[in-house]
């Protein structure tokens, strides 16, 4: 079956959605765009897309089955509710809303309308994340206890509207929402505490460097960090488990696994060991015979699988992969992140 799609907001992400769908999703055609910016309207026309003269015109277009919202964050709620009430299926760019109450209002409207509402958390299909999820699902490294996830850049500035608080800018809502969504999907346990260190080093309005610490009820701890001022990067992922450690260095997914050998017992010497750290037993290197160095698992990922899932849901063949309830959980954690920053202390919760 063929479906017809429109896009609200034809900036960088809006045009990416159009190109991705037209290139990879045979069952969806992109008809048109609604955007209040003349430059975006001209770009849409140059792509051969129809430009709606008003939101009302789009809402009344009976050909449209699906609409993707790719506007600044502060406008997501109103667009989503209007589209759902008009009988359209809706995809919303992340972060889905500015706060929990706005998302709850959309979810209530979606339930009444019977239409699909999902959030474009495309980084669930990132290769690095899928590798880590595969490792933890397999359980071969034992119990995870500390997960570190970092995205680091060095260009300092927040681009465009993302640097303005009124639009929902800042790194927590820009990249933090991705990293938190990934961590919550890695750990099947409630978050019981949140501690955040947010910095606005180069922005007058919003956070531009962030560190967020989570503790889960199952005693897993996690750190997610987003930096715009890092000139020497940490690994993208560093995952500590009881029986091994996994590292992914960067977006190219270079990395390794170091796993303890099940049948090798390490003996302790009564003599002090002399190392670069000085005389010590605790910091002496582990004997090589007690570990195996393994390659990261091979995985296949594709961002377009998000839209393929949406098509399958519209045809009644699948459930949503990115569910509004999951986005609600992320938004609840984000509210605790901002609360922690305001109080300067960790915040207890059960999310």
């Amino acid at each position: 079956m063929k479906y017809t799609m429109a896009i609200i907001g034809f900036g960088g992400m809006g045009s990416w959605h159009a190109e991705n769908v037209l290139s990879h999703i045979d069952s969806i055609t992109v008809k048109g765009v609604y955007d209040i910016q003349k430059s975006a309207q001209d770009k849409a026309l140059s792509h051969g897309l129809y430009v709606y003269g008003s939101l009302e015109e789009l809402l009344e277009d009976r050909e449209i089955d699906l609409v993707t919202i790719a506007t600044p964050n502060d406008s997501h709620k109103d667009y989503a509710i209007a589209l759902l009430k008009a009988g359209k299926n809706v995809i919303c760019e992340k972060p889905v809303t500015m706060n929990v109450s706005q998302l709850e209002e959309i979810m209530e409207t979606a339930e009444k309308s019977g239409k699909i509402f999902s959030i474009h958390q495309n980084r669930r299909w990132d290769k690095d994340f899928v590798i880590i999820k595969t490792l933890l699902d397999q359980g071969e490294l034992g119990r995870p206890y500390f997960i570190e996830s970092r995205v680091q850049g060095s260009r300092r500035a927040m681009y465009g509207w993302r640097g303005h608080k009124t639009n929902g800018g800042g790194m927590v809502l820009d990249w933090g929402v991705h990293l938190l969504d990934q961590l919550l999907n890695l750990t099947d346990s409630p978050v019981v505490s949140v501690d955040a260190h947010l910095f606005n080093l180069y922005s007058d309005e919003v956070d531009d460097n962030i560190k967020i610490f989570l503790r889960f009820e199952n005693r897993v701890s996690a750190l997610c960090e987003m930096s715009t001022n890092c000139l020497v990067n940490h690994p993208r992922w560093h995952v500590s488990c009881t029986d091994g450690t996994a590292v992914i260095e960067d977006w190219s997914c270079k990395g390794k696994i170091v796993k303890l050998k099940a049948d090798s017992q390490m003996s302790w010497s009564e003599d002090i060991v002399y190392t670069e750290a000085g005389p010590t037993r605790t910091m002496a290197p582990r004997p090589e015979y007690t570990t195996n160095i393994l390659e990261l698992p091979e995985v296949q990922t594709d961002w377009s699988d998000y839209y393929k899932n949406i098509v399958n849901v519209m045809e009644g063949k699948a459930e949503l992969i990115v569910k509004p309830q999951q986005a609600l959980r992320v938004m609840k954690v984000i509210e605790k992140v901002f609360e922690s920053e305001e109080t300067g202390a960790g915040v207890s919760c059960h999310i």
Side-chain angles (χ1 to χ4, degrees):
M1 185 173 177
K2 274 281 189 179
Y3 299 95
T4 304
M5 174 177 158
I7 298 171
I8 298 180
F10 205 64
M13 282 308 298
S15 58
W16 177 88
H17 279 280
E19 294 170 7
N20 184 53
V21 168
L22 291 170
S23 299
H24 297 97
I25 312 298
D26 295 336
S27 54
I28 299 179
T29 182
V30 181
K31 177 181 178 179
V33 166
Y34 172 65
D35 196 302
I36 62 174
Q37 299 290 335
K38 180 65 164 58
S39 58
Q41 295 169 6
D42 292 341
K43 183 168 68 171
L45 290 171
S46 72
H47 283 71
L49 301 173
Y50 178 75
V51 173
Y52 291 93
S54 66
L55 176 62
E56 289 70 26
E57 183 186 2
L58 170 54
L59 296 175
E60 293 171 3
D61 188 344
R62 295 186 178 182
E63 290 185 0
I64 299 300
D65 305 295
L66 175 67
V67 180
T68 292
I69 302 169
T71 57
N73 304 330
D74 58 317
S75 61
H76 289 177
K77 186 202 83 167
D78 290 343
Y79 281 134
I81 288 176
L83 290 163
L84 290 165
K85 286 182 176 179
K88 313 299 184 187
N89 297 300
V90 177
I91 293 170
C92 187
E93 260 299 336
K94 60 79 206 170
V96 57
T97 52
M98 302 277 279
N99 53 51
V100 167
S101 63
Q102 288 184 352
L103 177 52
E104 289 175 333
E105 192 175 344
I106 297 174
M107 291 171 65
E108 182 179 350
T109 305
E111 186 175 355
K112 290 178 180 178
S113 72
K115 291 298 177 179
I116 295 168
F117 175 66
S118 182
I119 302 88
H120 188 240
Q121 290 288 173
N122 56 304
R123 293 197 175 275
R124 291 197 198 175
W125 284 267
D126 279 4
K127 186 176 181 180
D128 57 278
F129 168 69
V130 176
I131 287 172
I132 295 299
K133 183 164 175 51
T134 299
L135 282 172
L136 295 184
D137 287 348
Q138 291 172 345
E140 294 186 4
L141 296 182
R143 181 179 65 83
Y145 59 90
F146 190 41
I147 303 172
E148 300 170 69
S149 170
R150 293 181 173 88
V151 173
Q152 297 166 307
S154 59
R155 304 185 74 170
R156 294 186 175 180
M158 299 288 293
Y159 180 74
W161 60 263
R162 290 172 177 81
H164 299 288
K165 186 174 183 178
T166 186
N167 296 132
M171 272 299 152
V172 171
L173 292 175
D174 189 30
W175 270 96
V177 67
H178 278 309
L179 303 188
L180 290 169
D181 180 73
Q182 290 179 339
L183 288 172
L184 295 185
N185 274 273
L186 287 176
T187 310
D188 185 19
S189 180
V191 177
V192 294
S193 70
V194 178
D195 193 0
H197 299 186
L198 309 183
F199 306 87
N200 57 326
L201 302 178
Y202 305 103
S203 170
D204 294 331
E205 298 184 33
V206 298
D207 48 277
D208 51 26
N209 290 264
I210 65 175
K211 295 180 188 289
I212 301 171
F213 303 87
L214 304 180
R215 176 169 287 241
F216 294 86
E217 192 172 62
N218 64 357
R219 306 298 291 176
V220 173
S221 292
L223 162 68
C224 68
E225 177 180 355
M226 174 59 204
S227 173
T228 62
N229 189 46
C230 185
L231 304 181
V232 181
N233 286 357
H234 290 83
R236 170 69 186 89
W237 292 91
H238 189 285
V239 180
S240 300
C241 302
T242 52
D243 298 329
T245 302
V247 176
I248 297 180
E249 296 292 346
D250 50 33
W251 296 111
S252 70
C253 294
K254 296 176 183 176
K256 64 181 179 180
I257 301 165
V258 180
K259 183 179 178 180
L260 296 175
K261 290 182 179 179
D263 56 351
S264 294
Q265 296 295 322
M266 188 187 73
S267 59
W268 288 87
S269 170
E270 292 298 324
D271 297 327
I272 288 289
V273 179
Y274 290 88
T275 71
E276 294 294 333
T280 177
R281 291 191 183 91
T282 305
M283 292 299 111
R286 173 177 280 276
E288 291 185 5
Y289 66 81
T290 65
T291 61
N292 284 323
I293 298 178
L294 308 175
E295 294 185 357
L296 297 170
E298 287 292 329
V299 299
Q300 298 296 321
T301 64
D302 189 338
W303 278 7
S304 64
D305 285 346
Y306 174 85
Y307 272 100
K308 292 173 184 175
N309 173 247
I310 296 295
V311 171
N312 287 332
V313 174
M314 287 194 291
E315 295 181 349
K317 299 176 181 177
E319 292 184 358
L320 281 174
I321 293 176
V322 183
K323 299 175 175 62
Q325 295 82 358
Q326 296 169 332
L328 183 63
R329 187 179 178 216
V330 173
M331 289 307 303
K332 287 180 178 180
V333 171
I334 285 175
E335 287 199 347
K336 294 301 179 184
V337 166
F338 289 126
E339 182 181 341
S340 171
E341 174 63 16
E342 289 177 3
T343 62
V347 176
S348 297
C349 56
H350 195 271
I351 301 171

